[in-house]
């Protein structure tokens, strides 16, 4: 793996990313846009998933002490993680992406709800990795409660704004 770290991604995301799924999808989509982290992804229940990202975030929390993952409880009783950069870090790049480009991209991804981000990453995966021509039907099959027309349209718009047109 290259020097693209979760801490660098957090720096590009203004120091914080809320949610494990969001972290995974941001890193996945950044990888498709030229991050070149070396992280490998497989398909999981919530779309593209990388054990490498999970391990890297733990390493950077417990060994490098550059990030902190805290767990909070939502108003509905569920828990979620908040990843924060705990050291001042001003990278010139995030992997192979210039920092200004990485900031622009992460800002767009943080600007949508996590379901839309999950769908965007899954759409990309279905089209580009699994090469499924009728990805809309497959998406509806895999994520029936999430793949509403509105959510899919927002996910497609996000992909388009990132330069990964659906």
């Amino acid at each position: 793996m290259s020097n693209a770290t979760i801490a660098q991604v957090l720096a590009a995301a203004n120091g914080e990313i809320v949610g494990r799924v969001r972290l995974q999808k941001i890193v996945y989509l950044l990888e498709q846009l030229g991050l070149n982290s070396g992280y490998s992804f497989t398909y999981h229940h919530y779309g593209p998933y990388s054990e490498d990202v999970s391990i890297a975030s733990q390493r950077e929390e417990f060994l490098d002490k550059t990030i902190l993952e805290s767990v909070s409880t939502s108003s509905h009783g569920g828990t979620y993680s908040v990843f924060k950069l705990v050291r001042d870090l001003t990278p010139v790049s995030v992997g192979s992406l210039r920092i200004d480009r990485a900031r622009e991209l992460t800002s767009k991804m943080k600007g949508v709800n996590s379901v839309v981000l999950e769908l965007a990453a899954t759409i990309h995966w279905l089209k580009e990795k699994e090469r499924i021509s009728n990805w809309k039907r497959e998406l509806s099959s895999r994520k029936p409660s999430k793949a509403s027309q509105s959510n899919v349209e927002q996910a497609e718009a996000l992909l388009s704004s990132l330069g990964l047109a659906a």
Side-chain angles (χ1 to χ4, degrees):
M1 283 179 245
S2 76
N3 63 352
T5 65
I6 302 306
Q8 288 175 327
V9 172
L10 285 170
N14 292 322
E16 180 179 279
I17 294 176
V18 177
R20 288 177 177 266
V21 171
R22 184 175 295 274
L23 176 66
Q24 287 279 339
K25 301 323 166 226
I26 287 174
V27 174
Y28 171 77
L29 290 169
L30 287 175
E31 189 68 25
Q32 308 318 302
L33 292 158
L35 180 66
N36 295 322
S37 66
Y39 298 145
S40 63
F41 289 83
T42 58
Y43 189 82
H44 194 263
H45 179 68
Y46 293 105
Y49 170 81
S50 174
E51 185 66 21
D52 297 335
V53 170
S54 181
I55 290 168
S57 67
Q58 291 172 12
R59 183 193 72 238
E60 291 180 39
E61 179 177 13
F62 295 110
L63 296 179
D64 302 345
K65 307 288 189 205
T66 55
I67 69 169
L68 174 66
E69 177 186 3
S70 59
V71 178
S72 298
T73 304
S74 72
S75 60
H76 304 293
T79 60
Y80 61 94
S81 294
V82 178
F83 296 90
K84 289 187 179 184
L85 190 60
V86 294
R87 282 195 201 161
D88 191 25
L89 183 65
T90 313
V92 295
S93 65
V94 178
S96 295
L97 296 170
R98 290 184 344 266
I99 188 64
D100 58 332
R101 177 77 172 134
R103 282 188 177 128
E104 173 193 343
L105 295 167
T106 58
S107 175
K108 289 177 181 181
M109 290 184 265
K110 285 179 65 175
V112 298
N113 75 49
S114 61
V115 169
V116 169
L117 183 60
E118 175 186 333
L119 291 174
T122 301
I123 289 167
H124 185 274
W125 180 272
L126 293 174
K127 289 182 73 185
E128 301 300 324
K129 305 301 181 186
E130 292 188 25
R131 303 272 188 215
I132 295 175
S133 58
N134 193 344
W135 60 265
K136 284 186 179 182
R137 183 175 63 211
E138 185 64 22
L139 183 69
S140 293
S141 172
R142 292 187 191 191
K143 300 178 180 291
S145 66
K146 295 178 180 179
S148 69
Q149 182 176 342
S150 173
N151 284 345
V152 172
E153 287 172 357
Q154 290 177 63
E156 289 179 289
L158 174 63
L159 288 170
S160 181
S161 76
L162 296 173
L164 294 170

